[in-house]
Amino acid sequence: MRRGDTPSGSLHGVSDGSAYICVDELPDGLVAADHEGRILVVNRAAERLTGVGRQTAVGRHITDVLPFRDLEGRDWWKWLDPRGGLRTRSRAPERPLSLPGRQELLVAARFVRTPERGGPVARVVITIRDASARARVERSRADLVSTVAHELRSPLTSVKGFTATLLAKWERFTDAQKLVMLETVNADADRVTRLITELLDVSRIESGRLQVRRQVVDIPARARRIIAGRVAAGEPEDRFRLEVDGELPETWLDQDKIDQILANLVENGVRHGRGTVSVVVEPVEWGVAVSVRDQGEGVAPELVGRVFRQFWRGNGRRRGGTGLGLFIVKGLVEAHGGTISVQRAPGGGAEFRFILPTGAPDFA
């Protein structure tokens, strides 16, 4: 049996030698037509995206059933021209198309030739995707660019201003004044570095290129280190509490990323919460759970679904940061195979709880 055939000779599935896969299982819409444009197959996703049932479509010409038009209103099938062009053509790139009264769709095509090399087109296989996902990505990128421009402007202006002033009037300032200006420049440079790090993390998370370098990590020890750093920076020691409940199993994690997760969650508790920020570490059935709790007003139930999105900055609370921290935390936790959620803490306030799996990695 050739790849692409089914036991009945139809196009409703493919066989990979070990399993029969129905086209209705595909996540994207699929429409197959012969070289003249008569529709042979419409899968379930294509029905949903186009609003056209397969019983209505099969056997009819594609321009009668699915009159795709490009952004300039041209007939897409005529533009595609399966019977024209070079015999080496194998595909048409994805492009936005529309149907009358329907949302914009992303449509691509592949030419199936017989024989495969240089033969005439026997079938045209069309894939269809919802364009709203691309629109969301483009809006997200535009928001990211806007956020970066806004967040970079202030520290860079400060760095440029103080540096230019010191270079031009160095002899006029006392040592104490110079120290204040240099400390400000240093702090703003750190702010720019943190922002660039966040942006790189967002890029890696969205592209799936985030790498986890595993080693044995003592989570309570890392939490103590994060808390000690906050205290050394001037926070009162009694603002934080660390609890370890029970004997913890061995965990193989990326130490730098665990530090980043804990630091972001503690920072979130300090910035948006009130009272004591508690870090609770405990064993659970398949891993280790870490809860970071504050004593503020918490997260309103209707906002829980937005907390881990990019640019979320809280429920009318004190502003600050880029709104990327919790998005990055979720990406880092999931890169370890874990999960994270937000709920109301036992004593009020917000509780961010993440669970990480145990066990040594497979080095084979």
Side-chain angles (χ1 to χ4, degrees):
M1 181 181 295
R2 294 176 301 169
R3 184 176 181 83
D5 291 341
T6 70
S8 61
S10 72
L11 292 172
H12 288 84
V14 296
S15 171
D16 65 0
S18 60
Y20 178 73
I21 305 170
C22 177
V23 294
D24 281 339
E25 298 172 2
L26 299 175
D28 294 333
L30 182 143
V31 176
D34 65 17
H35 67 287
E36 294 182 345
R38 289 190 301 269
I39 295 176
L40 305 172
V41 173
V42 178
N43 76 343
R44 187 174 298 144
E47 287 185 305
R48 173 177 55 80
L49 291 168
T50 64
V52 175
R54 70 186 71 184
Q55 299 300 326
T56 303
V58 172
R60 299 175 59 192
H61 197 278
I62 191 169
T63 55
D64 295 331
V65 181
L66 299 171
F68 286 120
R69 293 290 187 274
D70 64 17
L71 298 179
E72 298 178 0
R74 295 176 299 186
D75 184 327
W76 179 71
W77 184 261
K78 289 183 180 178
W79 172 87
L80 192 65
D81 188 19
R83 288 186 288 185
L86 297 174
R87 287 289 184 101
T88 55
R89 280 200 309 161
S90 61
R91 58 184 292 274
E94 187 174 72
R95 60 187 302 167
L97 301 175
S98 60
L99 293 171
R102 304 289 296 186
Q103 63 188 16
E104 186 177 87
L105 300 169
L106 298 176
V107 183
R110 179 173 180 80
F111 302 118
V112 180
R113 296 181 179 274
T114 305
E116 184 176 351
R117 286 184 167 277
V121 173
R123 294 191 299 275
V124 180
V125 180
I126 301 163
T127 59
I128 306 171
R129 295 194 300 127
D130 187 350
S132 60
R134 188 179 74 166
R136 286 195 298 271
V137 170
E138 290 176 349
R139 285 196 301 271
S140 176
R141 287 175 179 168
D143 289 341
L144 192 60
V145 171
S146 176
T147 298
V148 171
H150 176 76
E151 293 293 332
L152 284 176
R153 184 181 297 116
S154 176
L156 288 179
T157 300
S158 171
V159 168
K160 176 62 178 175
F162 280 119
T163 303
T165 300
L166 286 169
L167 288 172
K169 304 176 181 180
W170 179 266
E171 301 298 335
R172 299 185 186 182
F173 296 108
T174 66
D175 288 345
Q177 290 173 324
K178 293 174 183 176
L179 179 62
V180 169
M181 286 190 277
L182 288 173
E183 286 176 340
T184 303
V185 169
N186 185 62
D188 284 332
D190 287 342
R191 182 177 167 189
V192 171
T193 301
R194 286 195 300 271
L195 176 60
I196 292 172
T197 300
E198 286 184 342
L199 296 175
L200 290 173
D201 286 337
V202 169
S203 174
R204 293 186 185 108
I205 289 169
E206 290 187 330
S207 64
R209 293 185 290 108
L210 195 66
Q211 294 184 348
V212 176
R213 296 176 174 84
R214 296 182 184 270
Q215 63 186 77
V216 176
V217 173
D218 184 338
I219 296 177
R222 306 318 298 174
R224 289 189 194 96
R225 180 178 178 276
I226 297 299
I227 292 172
R230 301 289 310 196
V231 173
E235 296 281 351
E237 189 172 355
D238 59 3
R239 180 79 195 272
F240 305 98
R241 183 172 68 244
L242 173 63
E243 300 178 19
V244 181
D245 297 335
E247 184 177 350
L248 301 176
E250 184 179 84
T251 51
W252 286 72
L253 310 166
D254 187 312
Q255 182 169 285
D256 291 339
K257 292 179 174 55
I258 294 303
D259 285 351
Q260 190 174 354
I261 292 168
L262 292 169
N264 280 3
L265 291 179
V266 170
E267 167 71 17
N268 184 75
V270 170
R271 185 187 298 273
H272 298 295
R274 292 192 298 270
T276 303
V277 176
S278 302
V279 181
V280 181
V281 188
E282 58 189 333
V284 291
E285 183 178 356
W286 57 275
V288 173
V290 182
S291 301
V292 180
R293 305 165 180 165
D294 63 63
Q295 296 176 327
E297 67 263 32
V299 179
E302 65 271 17
L303 297 178
V304 167
R306 307 179 195 175
V307 167
F308 297 106
R309 295 180 185 174
Q310 293 183 30
F311 315 117
W312 187 83
R313 289 189 175 91
N315 182 20
R317 300 175 289 181
R318 286 176 290 166
R319 303 288 175 175
T322 59
L324 297 173
L326 293 176
F327 172 82
I328 292 171
V329 164
K330 183 174 185 289
L332 296 179
V333 169
E334 292 179 346
H336 284 85
T339 59
I340 186 168
S341 61
V342 60
Q343 57 198 12
R344 186 168 181 80
E351 175 183 320
F352 289 85
R353 179 181 175 86
F354 64 93
I355 301 176
L356 299 171
T358 59
D362 184 5
F363 292 106

